[in-house]
Protein backbone atom coordinates (compact mmCIF):
# COMPACT_ATOMS: atom_id res chain seq x y z
CA UNK A 1 0.00 0.00 0.00
CA UNK A 2 1.49 3.39 -0.98
CA UNK A 3 1.78 6.10 1.68
CA UNK A 4 -0.64 9.06 1.58
CA UNK A 5 1.06 12.20 0.21
CA UNK A 6 2.02 14.64 2.94
CA UNK A 7 -0.46 17.52 3.24
CA UNK A 8 1.18 20.79 4.30
CA UNK A 9 -0.19 24.29 4.62
CA UNK A 10 -1.57 27.02 6.84
CA UNK A 11 -2.81 25.70 10.18
CA UNK A 12 -3.78 29.05 11.72
CA UNK A 13 -3.67 32.71 10.67
CA UNK A 14 -4.07 35.95 12.61
CA UNK A 15 -3.85 39.65 12.02
CA UNK A 16 -2.96 42.97 13.65
CA UNK A 17 -2.81 46.55 12.51
CA UNK A 18 -1.82 49.96 13.81
CA UNK A 19 -4.16 51.44 16.40
CA UNK A 20 -4.92 54.73 14.66
CA UNK A 21 -6.71 55.31 11.39
CA UNK A 22 -7.00 58.10 8.84
CA UNK A 23 -10.16 58.15 6.73
CA UNK A 24 -9.14 59.02 3.18
CA UNK A 25 -11.80 61.76 3.15
CA UNK A 26 -9.37 63.70 5.41
CA UNK A 27 -6.63 63.42 2.78
CA UNK A 28 -8.98 64.25 -0.09
CA UNK A 29 -10.25 67.33 1.75
CA UNK A 30 -6.68 68.54 2.35
CA UNK A 31 -5.88 67.97 -1.33
CA UNK A 32 -9.15 69.58 -2.49
CA UNK A 33 -10.17 66.57 -4.60
CA UNK A 34 -13.23 64.32 -4.84
CA UNK A 35 -12.88 61.53 -2.24
CA UNK A 36 -14.40 59.09 -4.72
CA UNK A 37 -11.03 59.01 -6.46
CA UNK A 38 -9.97 57.05 -3.37
CA UNK A 39 -13.18 55.33 -2.27
CA UNK A 40 -14.06 54.19 -5.82
CA UNK A 41 -11.10 54.90 -8.13
CA UNK A 42 -8.44 53.05 -6.12
CA UNK A 43 -10.87 51.18 -3.83
CA UNK A 44 -9.51 52.38 -0.48
CA UNK A 45 -11.54 53.91 2.36
CA UNK A 46 -9.04 54.24 5.24
CA UNK A 47 -5.42 53.70 6.12
CA UNK A 48 -3.96 52.50 9.42
CA UNK A 49 -1.38 54.89 10.82
CA UNK A 50 1.21 53.73 13.36
CA UNK A 51 1.77 55.86 16.45
CA UNK A 52 5.39 56.65 17.40
CA UNK A 53 5.46 53.55 19.62
CA UNK A 54 4.19 51.14 16.93
CA UNK A 55 6.12 49.45 14.12
CA UNK A 56 6.53 46.09 12.36
CA UNK A 57 7.73 44.43 15.58
CA UNK A 58 4.79 45.55 17.72
CA UNK A 59 2.24 44.62 15.04
CA UNK A 60 4.04 41.36 14.23
CA UNK A 61 4.21 40.36 17.89
CA UNK A 62 0.53 41.15 18.37
CA UNK A 63 -0.50 39.00 15.37
CA UNK A 64 1.85 36.13 16.28
CA UNK A 65 0.85 36.36 19.95
CA UNK A 66 -2.66 35.20 19.06
CA UNK A 67 -1.23 32.08 17.43
CA UNK A 68 1.08 31.34 20.36
CA UNK A 69 -1.79 31.90 22.83
CA UNK A 70 -3.80 29.23 21.04
CA UNK A 71 -1.14 26.63 20.14
CA UNK A 72 1.79 27.39 22.43
CA UNK A 73 5.33 27.99 21.15
CA UNK A 74 6.32 24.37 21.77
CA UNK A 75 7.69 22.78 18.61
CA UNK A 76 8.07 26.00 16.62
CA UNK A 77 11.71 25.73 15.54
CA UNK A 78 11.62 28.34 12.77
CA UNK A 79 10.32 31.92 12.78
CA UNK A 80 10.46 33.71 9.42
CA UNK A 81 9.83 37.47 9.49
CA UNK A 82 8.97 38.92 6.07
CA UNK A 83 9.13 42.70 5.67
CA UNK A 84 10.45 45.57 3.61
CA UNK A 85 10.15 48.01 6.55
CA UNK A 86 13.17 46.61 8.43
CA UNK A 87 14.12 48.31 11.70
CA UNK A 88 17.76 47.13 11.77
CA UNK A 89 20.24 46.42 8.98
CA UNK A 90 21.56 43.32 10.75
CA UNK A 91 19.30 41.89 13.45
CA UNK A 92 16.06 40.27 12.30
CA UNK A 93 12.84 41.88 13.46
CA UNK A 94 11.82 38.30 14.20
CA UNK A 95 14.36 38.04 17.02
CA UNK A 96 12.65 40.95 18.81
CA UNK A 97 9.30 39.16 18.41
CA UNK A 98 10.81 35.87 19.59
CA UNK A 99 11.92 37.66 22.77
CA UNK A 100 8.64 39.50 23.34
CA UNK A 101 6.67 36.25 23.00
CA UNK A 102 9.04 34.27 25.21
CA UNK A 103 9.65 31.59 22.60
CA UNK A 104 12.09 28.74 23.18
CA UNK A 105 15.79 29.19 22.41
CA UNK A 106 15.92 26.17 20.08
CA UNK A 107 14.60 28.16 17.17
CA UNK A 108 16.04 29.62 13.94
CA UNK A 109 14.87 33.17 13.29
CA UNK A 110 15.51 35.13 10.13
CA UNK A 111 14.19 38.14 8.18
CA UNK A 112 13.34 37.98 4.48
CA UNK A 113 13.10 40.83 1.98
CA UNK A 114 11.90 41.13 -1.60
CA UNK A 115 9.39 43.97 -1.57
CA UNK A 116 5.81 42.71 -1.16
CA UNK A 117 6.71 39.16 -2.25
CA UNK A 118 8.81 38.01 0.72
CA UNK A 119 6.01 36.47 2.83
CA UNK A 120 5.32 34.10 -0.04
CA UNK A 121 9.00 33.17 -0.14
CA UNK A 122 8.68 32.50 3.62
CA UNK A 123 5.64 30.30 3.00
CA UNK A 124 7.49 28.30 0.35
CA UNK A 125 10.55 27.90 2.59
CA UNK A 126 8.28 26.79 5.44
CA UNK A 127 6.62 24.17 3.21
CA UNK A 128 10.08 22.81 2.39
CA UNK A 129 11.08 22.60 6.06
CA UNK A 130 7.90 20.71 6.96
CA UNK A 131 8.21 18.45 3.90
CA UNK A 132 11.64 17.40 5.14
CA UNK A 133 10.41 16.68 8.67
CA UNK A 134 6.62 16.71 9.24
CA UNK A 135 7.11 17.32 12.97
CA UNK A 136 8.38 20.84 12.21
CA UNK A 137 6.16 23.90 12.74
CA UNK A 138 7.11 27.19 11.14
CA UNK A 139 5.77 30.57 12.28
CA UNK A 140 5.68 33.12 9.46
CA UNK A 141 5.14 36.80 10.26
CA UNK A 142 4.52 39.31 7.48
CA UNK A 143 4.48 42.93 8.62
CA UNK A 144 4.94 46.25 6.87
CA UNK A 145 4.35 49.96 7.18
CA UNK A 146 3.73 51.36 3.68
CA UNK A 147 5.08 54.91 3.47
CA UNK A 148 5.30 57.33 0.55
CA UNK A 149 6.35 60.98 0.58
CA UNK A 150 3.80 63.53 1.78
CA UNK A 151 1.94 65.16 -1.13
CA UNK A 152 3.03 62.42 -3.56
CA UNK A 153 0.61 60.37 -5.68
CA UNK A 154 1.42 57.28 -3.60
CA UNK A 155 0.16 58.95 -0.40
CA UNK A 156 -3.39 57.48 -0.47
CA UNK A 157 -1.92 53.98 -0.87
CA UNK A 158 -0.10 53.95 2.47
CA UNK A 159 -1.12 51.73 5.40
CA UNK A 160 0.12 49.24 7.98
CA UNK A 161 -0.64 45.69 9.13
CA UNK A 162 0.83 42.36 10.13
CA UNK A 163 -0.34 38.82 9.44
CA UNK A 164 1.08 35.77 11.20
CA UNK A 165 0.48 32.18 10.11
CA UNK A 166 1.58 28.77 11.28
CA UNK A 167 2.74 26.27 8.65
CA UNK A 168 2.39 22.59 9.62
CA UNK A 169 1.62 19.13 8.26
CA UNK A 170 -2.11 18.27 8.22
CA UNK A 171 -3.12 21.94 8.24
CA UNK A 172 -6.54 22.92 9.60
CA UNK A 173 -7.12 25.96 7.38
CA UNK A 174 -5.58 25.82 3.89
CA UNK A 175 -3.53 23.06 2.28
CA UNK A 176 -1.01 24.60 -0.14
CA UNK A 177 -0.70 22.68 -3.40
CA UNK A 178 2.75 21.95 -4.86
CA UNK A 179 2.63 23.52 -8.35
CA UNK A 180 3.75 27.15 -8.59
CA UNK A 181 4.49 29.61 -11.40
CA UNK A 182 7.31 32.14 -10.97
CA UNK A 183 8.35 35.37 -12.66
CA UNK A 184 11.33 37.65 -11.98
CA UNK A 185 12.33 40.82 -13.84
CA UNK A 186 15.06 43.31 -12.83
CA UNK A 187 13.09 46.59 -12.98
CA UNK A 188 12.61 49.81 -10.99
CA UNK A 189 8.85 50.17 -10.59
CA UNK A 190 8.98 50.69 -6.80
CA UNK A 191 12.02 50.69 -4.53
CA UNK A 192 13.42 52.27 -1.34
CA UNK A 193 17.10 53.28 -1.14
CA UNK A 194 18.70 52.78 2.29
CA UNK A 195 18.73 56.50 3.09
CA UNK A 196 14.97 56.95 2.60
CA UNK A 197 12.10 56.10 4.94
CA UNK A 198 9.60 56.49 2.09
CA UNK A 199 9.37 54.43 -1.10
CA UNK A 200 10.06 55.74 -4.59
CA UNK A 201 7.66 54.62 -7.26
CA UNK A 202 6.87 54.98 -10.92
CA UNK A 203 3.12 54.61 -10.36
CA UNK A 204 1.71 53.83 -13.80
CA UNK A 205 4.71 51.67 -14.72
CA UNK A 206 4.27 49.71 -11.46
CA UNK A 207 0.69 48.82 -12.43
CA UNK A 208 1.81 47.64 -15.86
CA UNK A 209 4.72 45.69 -14.33
CA UNK A 210 2.35 43.96 -11.88
CA UNK A 211 0.05 42.86 -14.71
CA UNK A 212 2.92 41.69 -16.94
CA UNK A 213 4.31 39.70 -14.03
CA UNK A 214 0.90 38.11 -13.43
CA UNK A 215 0.86 36.90 -17.03
CA UNK A 216 4.40 35.53 -16.68
CA UNK A 217 3.69 33.67 -13.44
CA UNK A 218 0.34 32.31 -14.66
CA UNK A 219 1.91 31.10 -17.92
CA UNK A 220 4.60 29.19 -16.04
CA UNK A 221 2.02 27.85 -13.57
CA UNK A 222 0.07 26.39 -16.49
CA UNK A 223 3.20 25.03 -18.19
CA UNK A 224 4.16 23.19 -15.01
CA UNK A 225 0.83 21.37 -14.80
CA UNK A 226 -1.20 23.79 -12.66
CA UNK A 227 -4.97 23.39 -12.54
CA UNK A 228 -7.17 25.10 -15.14
CA UNK A 229 -8.65 28.53 -14.39
CA UNK A 230 -12.14 26.99 -14.17
CA UNK A 231 -10.99 24.69 -11.36
CA UNK A 232 -10.14 27.67 -9.10
CA UNK A 233 -13.07 28.99 -7.07
CA UNK A 234 -11.68 32.16 -5.46
CA UNK A 235 -8.66 34.37 -6.02
CA UNK A 236 -6.48 36.31 -3.66
CA UNK A 237 -4.03 38.96 -4.95
CA UNK A 238 -1.35 41.21 -3.54
CA UNK A 239 -3.30 44.42 -2.85
CA UNK A 240 -1.32 47.68 -2.91
CA UNK A 241 -4.84 49.12 -3.21
CA UNK A 242 -7.91 46.95 -3.72
CA UNK A 243 -8.65 48.19 -7.25
CA UNK A 244 -5.34 46.63 -8.28
CA UNK A 245 -6.75 43.19 -7.46
CA UNK A 246 -9.82 43.97 -9.55
CA UNK A 247 -7.65 45.00 -12.50
CA UNK A 248 -5.45 41.93 -12.06
CA UNK A 249 -8.38 39.55 -11.91
CA UNK A 250 -9.93 41.07 -15.03
CA UNK A 251 -6.58 40.61 -16.78
CA UNK A 252 -6.27 36.98 -15.65
CA UNK A 253 -9.79 36.28 -16.90
CA UNK A 254 -8.79 37.67 -20.29
CA UNK A 255 -5.54 35.70 -20.42
CA UNK A 256 -7.35 32.48 -19.41
CA UNK A 257 -10.29 33.20 -21.75
CA UNK A 258 -12.75 32.52 -18.94
CA UNK A 259 -15.88 34.04 -20.46
CA UNK A 260 -17.10 35.07 -16.97
CA UNK A 261 -19.18 38.24 -16.77
CA UNK A 262 -18.27 41.20 -14.55
CA UNK A 263 -20.41 40.08 -11.57
CA UNK A 264 -19.00 36.56 -11.63
CA UNK A 265 -15.45 37.92 -11.78
CA UNK A 266 -16.09 40.28 -8.85
CA UNK A 267 -17.67 37.48 -6.78
CA UNK A 268 -14.42 35.52 -7.02
CA UNK A 269 -12.42 38.26 -5.25
CA UNK A 270 -14.86 40.55 -3.38
CA UNK A 271 -14.49 39.09 0.12
CA UNK A 272 -10.68 39.18 -0.11
CA UNK A 273 -10.70 42.98 -0.36
CA UNK A 274 -12.48 43.94 2.88
CA UNK A 275 -9.53 44.12 5.29
CA UNK A 276 -7.11 45.82 2.89
CA UNK A 277 -9.68 48.45 1.95
CA UNK A 278 -9.52 49.54 5.62
CA UNK A 279 -5.86 49.01 6.58
CA UNK A 280 -4.35 50.39 3.38
CA UNK A 281 -1.32 48.76 1.80
CA UNK A 282 0.61 46.45 4.11
CA UNK A 283 3.06 45.42 1.40
CA UNK A 284 4.08 41.79 2.02
CA UNK A 285 1.25 41.17 4.51
CA UNK A 286 -1.47 42.34 2.14
CA UNK A 287 -2.07 39.09 0.21
CA UNK A 288 -2.37 37.17 3.50
CA UNK A 289 -4.67 39.85 4.95
CA UNK A 290 -6.63 39.16 1.76
CA UNK A 291 -6.71 35.43 2.56
CA UNK A 292 -7.93 36.12 6.11
CA UNK A 293 -10.56 38.50 4.77
CA UNK A 294 -11.76 35.82 2.35
CA UNK A 295 -11.92 33.11 5.02
CA UNK A 296 -13.77 35.50 7.37
CA UNK A 297 -16.59 35.97 4.83
CA UNK A 298 -19.60 34.69 6.77
CA UNK A 299 -21.78 34.49 3.66
CA UNK A 300 -19.73 31.76 2.02
CA UNK A 301 -18.86 28.24 3.03
CA UNK A 302 -15.44 27.74 1.48
CA UNK A 303 -14.82 24.15 2.60
CA UNK A 304 -13.12 22.33 -0.25
CA UNK A 305 -12.79 25.53 -2.33
CA UNK A 306 -9.59 26.10 -4.23
CA UNK A 307 -8.02 29.55 -3.90
CA UNK A 308 -5.61 30.96 -6.50
CA UNK A 309 -2.93 33.26 -5.05
CA UNK A 310 -0.92 35.86 -6.94
CA UNK A 311 1.90 37.34 -4.89
CA UNK A 312 3.78 40.32 -6.38
CA UNK A 313 6.81 42.19 -5.05
CA UNK A 314 8.12 45.14 -7.02
CA UNK A 315 11.54 45.01 -8.43
CA UNK A 316 10.17 42.39 -9.30
CA UNK A 317 9.43 38.82 -8.17
CA UNK A 318 6.05 37.12 -8.32
CA UNK A 319 4.44 33.73 -7.85
CA UNK A 320 1.11 32.08 -8.67
CA UNK A 321 0.04 29.09 -6.57
CA UNK A 322 -3.09 27.51 -5.13
CA UNK A 323 -4.46 26.20 -1.85
CA UNK A 324 -7.53 24.24 -0.78
CA UNK A 325 -9.68 25.32 2.19
CA UNK A 326 -9.99 22.55 4.76
CA UNK A 327 -13.14 21.09 6.38
CA UNK A 328 -14.01 22.76 9.69
CA UNK A 329 -11.89 25.86 8.96
CA UNK A 330 -14.55 28.21 10.29
CA UNK A 331 -14.11 27.03 13.88
CA UNK A 332 -10.57 28.44 13.86
CA UNK A 333 -11.36 31.96 12.69
CA UNK A 334 -11.35 35.02 14.96
CA UNK A 335 -13.95 37.05 13.09
CA UNK A 336 -15.10 39.21 16.02
CA UNK A 337 -11.56 39.92 17.18
CA UNK A 338 -10.48 40.88 13.65
CA UNK A 339 -13.48 43.19 13.24
CA UNK A 340 -12.77 44.77 16.64
CA UNK A 341 -9.15 45.47 15.64
CA UNK A 342 -10.37 47.52 12.70
CA UNK A 343 -13.35 49.15 14.44
CA UNK A 344 -11.52 50.14 17.61
CA UNK A 345 -8.75 52.13 15.90
CA UNK A 346 -8.61 55.75 17.02
CA UNK A 347 -9.63 58.09 14.18
CA UNK A 348 -7.11 60.87 13.56
CA UNK A 349 -7.35 64.01 11.45
CA UNK A 350 -5.06 65.27 8.71
CA UNK A 351 -2.84 67.43 10.97
CA UNK A 352 -2.11 64.58 13.34
CA UNK A 353 -1.42 62.22 10.41
CA UNK A 354 1.02 64.70 8.90
CA UNK A 355 2.93 65.24 12.14
CA UNK A 356 3.21 61.45 12.72
CA UNK A 357 4.47 61.02 9.16
CA UNK A 358 7.10 63.73 9.57
CA UNK A 359 8.19 62.45 13.00
CA UNK A 360 9.50 59.16 11.52
CA UNK A 361 12.47 60.94 9.96
CA UNK A 362 13.30 62.68 13.23
CA UNK A 363 14.36 59.36 14.84
CA UNK A 364 17.97 59.12 13.69
CA UNK A 365 19.52 56.76 16.22
CA UNK A 366 20.01 59.13 19.14
CA UNK A 367 18.48 58.06 22.42
CA UNK A 368 14.75 58.64 22.38
CA UNK A 369 11.83 57.81 24.66
CA UNK A 370 8.54 57.36 22.81
CA UNK A 371 5.23 58.62 24.18
CA UNK A 372 2.90 55.85 25.36
CA UNK A 373 0.21 55.87 22.67
CA UNK A 374 -0.62 52.41 21.33
CA UNK A 375 -3.56 50.47 22.71
CA UNK A 376 -1.89 47.23 21.57
CA UNK A 377 -0.17 44.62 23.75
CA UNK A 378 3.40 45.60 22.72
CA UNK A 379 5.12 48.94 22.22
CA UNK A 380 8.35 50.38 20.92
CA UNK A 381 9.60 52.15 24.03
CA UNK A 382 12.49 54.01 22.40
CA UNK A 383 16.23 53.80 21.76
CA UNK A 384 18.97 53.66 24.38
CA UNK A 385 22.64 53.12 23.53
CA UNK A 386 21.64 52.73 19.84
CA UNK A 387 19.46 49.75 20.76
CA UNK A 388 15.72 49.54 20.10
CA UNK A 389 13.71 48.69 23.22
CA UNK A 390 10.33 47.00 23.17
CA UNK A 391 7.97 46.19 26.02
CA UNK A 392 4.67 44.54 26.81
CA UNK A 393 1.91 46.92 27.79
CA UNK A 394 -0.28 44.30 29.43
N1 LIG B 1 -14.35 59.12 -8.87
C1 LIG B 1 -14.08 57.81 -9.19
N2 LIG B 1 -12.89 57.40 -9.75
C2 LIG B 1 -11.94 58.35 -9.94
C3 LIG B 1 -12.15 59.71 -9.63
C4 LIG B 1 -13.43 60.09 -9.07
N3 LIG B 1 -13.69 61.34 -8.73
N4 LIG B 1 -11.02 60.38 -9.95
C5 LIG B 1 -10.14 59.48 -10.44
N5 LIG B 1 -10.70 58.24 -10.44
C6 LIG B 1 -10.08 56.98 -10.84
C7 LIG B 1 -9.25 57.05 -12.11
O1 LIG B 1 -10.07 56.95 -13.29
C8 LIG B 1 -8.36 55.85 -11.93
O2 LIG B 1 -9.05 54.67 -12.21
P1 LIG B 1 -8.50 53.63 -13.32
O3 LIG B 1 -7.09 53.28 -12.91
O4 LIG B 1 -9.42 52.46 -13.22
O5 LIG B 1 -8.54 54.36 -14.62
C9 LIG B 1 -8.10 55.82 -10.41
O6 LIG B 1 -9.14 56.64 -9.84
C10 LIG B 1 -6.76 56.41 -10.00
O7 LIG B 1 -6.60 57.64 -10.62
P2 LIG B 1 -5.20 58.09 -11.22
O8 LIG B 1 -4.62 56.98 -12.04
O9 LIG B 1 -5.36 59.41 -11.86
O10 LIG B 1 -4.39 58.23 -9.85
P3 LIG B 1 -2.91 58.70 -9.60
O11 LIG B 1 -2.23 59.14 -10.84
O12 LIG B 1 -3.01 59.71 -8.51
O13 LIG B 1 -2.14 57.41 -9.06
C11 LIG B 1 -1.52 55.28 -8.24
C12 LIG B 1 -2.70 56.18 -8.65
C13 LIG B 1 -0.62 55.06 -9.46
C14 LIG B 1 -2.09 53.95 -7.78
C15 LIG B 1 -0.71 55.97 -7.10
O14 LIG B 1 -1.50 56.07 -5.96
C16 LIG B 1 0.58 55.26 -6.77
O15 LIG B 1 1.62 55.51 -7.36
N6 LIG B 1 0.57 54.33 -5.74
C17 LIG B 1 1.76 53.60 -5.32
C18 LIG B 1 2.19 52.57 -6.32
C19 LIG B 1 1.34 51.32 -6.35
O16 LIG B 1 0.56 51.05 -5.47
N7 LIG B 1 1.53 50.52 -7.42
C20 LIG B 1 0.82 49.26 -7.55
C21 LIG B 1 1.62 48.23 -8.31
S1 LIG B 1 3.23 47.97 -7.52
C22 LIG B 1 2.92 46.95 -6.19
O17 LIG B 1 1.92 46.29 -6.14
C23 LIG B 1 3.90 46.90 -5.07
C24 LIG B 1 3.36 47.77 -3.98
O18 LIG B 1 2.73 47.27 -3.04
C25 LIG B 1 3.59 49.20 -4.09
Amino acid sequence: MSAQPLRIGIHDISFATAHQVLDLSELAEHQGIDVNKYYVGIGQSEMSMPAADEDIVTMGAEAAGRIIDRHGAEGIRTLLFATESGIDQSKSAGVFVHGLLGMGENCRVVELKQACYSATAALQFALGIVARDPREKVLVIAADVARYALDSSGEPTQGAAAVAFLVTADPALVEIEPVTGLHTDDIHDFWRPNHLSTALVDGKYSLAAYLRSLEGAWTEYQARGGVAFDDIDRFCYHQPFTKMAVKAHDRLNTIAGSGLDRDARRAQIAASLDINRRTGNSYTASIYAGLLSLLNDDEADLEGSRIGFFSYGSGSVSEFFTGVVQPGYRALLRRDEDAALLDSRVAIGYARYRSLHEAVDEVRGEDVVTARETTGPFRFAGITDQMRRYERTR
Side-chain angles (χ1 to χ4, degrees), residues 118-136:
S118 63
T120 297
L123 170 62
Q124 293 296 344
F125 298 165
L127 295 170
I129 289 168
V130 179
R132 188 165 178 146
D133 182 347
R135 294 171 303 174
E136 296 277 355

Side-chain angles (χ1 to χ4, degrees), residues 34 36-37 40-42 116 148 153-154 157 190 201 203-204 206-207 210 238 240-241 243-244 247 281 283 312 314:
D34 179 358
N36 284 325
K37 173 172 177 182
V40 181
I42 62 168
C116 310
Y148 294 90
S153 68
T157 62
F190 164 106
V201 66
K204 296 287 187 277
S206 72
L207 268 67
Y210 180 121
H238 165 54
F241 49 94
K243 189 74 168 289
M244 187 73 234
K247 288 177 191 286
N281 197 356
Y283 292 159
Y312 177 76
S314 289

Side-chain angles (χ1 to χ4, degrees), residues 181-183 211-221 255 318:
L182 297 166
H183 187 265
L211 296 175
R212 196 176 64 234
S213 203
L214 169 63
E215 180 156 6
W218 172 257
T219 303
E220 208 220 6
Y221 174 74
I255 297 166
S318 69

Side-chain angles (χ1 to χ4, degrees), residues 23-25 35-47 156-159 239-244 273-281:
D23 193 294
L24 291 183
S25 60
V35 70
N36 284 325
K37 173 172 177 182
Y38 300 150
Y39 286 175
V40 181
I42 62 168
Q44 291 300 125
S45 57
E46 301 164 353
M47 59 193 195
T157 62
Q158 299 175 109
Q239 296 169 36
F241 49 94
T242 65
K243 189 74 168 289
M244 187 73 234
L273 311 179
D274 295 341
I275 291 180
N276 284 287
R277 197 191 314 278
R278 299 188 61 191
T279 58
N281 197 356

Side-chain angles (χ1 to χ4, degrees), residues 91 106 180 190 266 307 329:
K91 181 173 173 175
N106 300 122
T180 75
F190 164 106
R266 296 294 180 273
I307 303 173
Y329 76 98

Side-chain angles (χ1 to χ4, degrees), residues 17-21 48-56 58-59 145 147 160 346 348 352-353 355-357 359-360 363 370-376 378-381 388:
T17 188
H19 294 83
Q20 299 179 118
V21 62
S48 290
M49 187 68 199
D53 61 348
E54 295 176 328
D55 65 12
I56 53 164
T58 63
M59 291 189 298
V145 178
R147 277 171 51 78
V346 176
I348 57 172
R352 165 87 174 135
Y353 150 73
S355 71
L356 278 168
H357 194 291
V360 170
V363 178
T370 56
R372 188 173 285 268
E373 290 182 303
T374 185
T375 53
F378 303 97
R379 63 184 295 276
F380 167 51
R388 290 176 81 86

